[in-house]
Amino acid sequence: MTHTSLKTVRAGLVAALVLLACAAPARPDSWRPAGDSRLMLTVGRGEASPAAEGGTVLWCDPPRGPHRHAADACAELEAADGRIADIPAKDVVCPMVHAPVTAHAHGTWRGRPVEYTETFPNTCMLTARTGSVFASAAP
């Protein structure tokens, strides 16, 4: 009769648990490729599309980069599924000063291309409509 030591049985059980843990499927929403959500954001004075230089890059998943309000901006984009135009407008009172600014964003959100350009009467209206997304890029 063969006797198996307690150490051998424990080692076998640990190996089996490790193999089972590695074989368990990941949740489908828990995996997102790195660098999948990146936007180049620019804001310029006037009604013409702003020049690309001098903008701010916003990375999400996780929020990072030079954007001062990256966490807030990424959360707002997440709630709007990456569609800047769908970010809910803030209930603020803006002065009726005509100082137009044009916001432009291009890049990707969850692998989908993003292209957004809109002119606002002033920076207050820009912030009211786009939240924190263009906060670091505003002139």
Side-chain angles (χ1 to χ4, degrees):
M1 183 146 107
T2 307
H3 293 290
T4 307
S5 73
L6 188 56
K7 282 185 177 181
T8 305
V9 171
R10 284 185 185 165
L13 287 174
V14 168
L17 287 174
V18 168
L19 287 173
L20 284 174
C22 292
R27 292 188 341 230
D29 63 344
S30 67
W31 180 81
R32 291 188 178 133
D36 191 34
S37 297
R38 181 192 69 83
L39 297 174
M40 179 64 181
L41 307 167
T42 54
V43 176
R45 297 195 187 280
E47 296 180 15
S49 191
E53 63 271 354
T56 300
V57 178
L58 171 64
W59 281 286
C60 295
D61 301 326
R64 62 192 187 283
H67 196 290
R68 290 188 311 255
H69 307 283
D72 293 335
C74 290
E76 290 166 353
L77 285 166
E78 179 73 34
D81 194 28
R83 294 178 183 90
I84 297 170
D86 291 347
I87 293 174
K90 308 280 186 283
D91 190 20
V92 297
V93 177
C94 290
M96 294 181 64
V97 174
H98 184 70
V101 291
T102 300
H104 180 73
H106 72 275
T108 58
W109 182 262
R110 307 275 192 266
R112 254 186 2 251
V114 172
E115 197 66 40
Y116 171 86
T117 302
E118 189 169 345
T119 300
F120 299 90
N122 52 46
T123 54
C124 180
M125 289 299 295
L126 165 71
T127 303
R129 277 296 299 124
T130 64
S132 300
V133 174
F134 290 98
S136 290

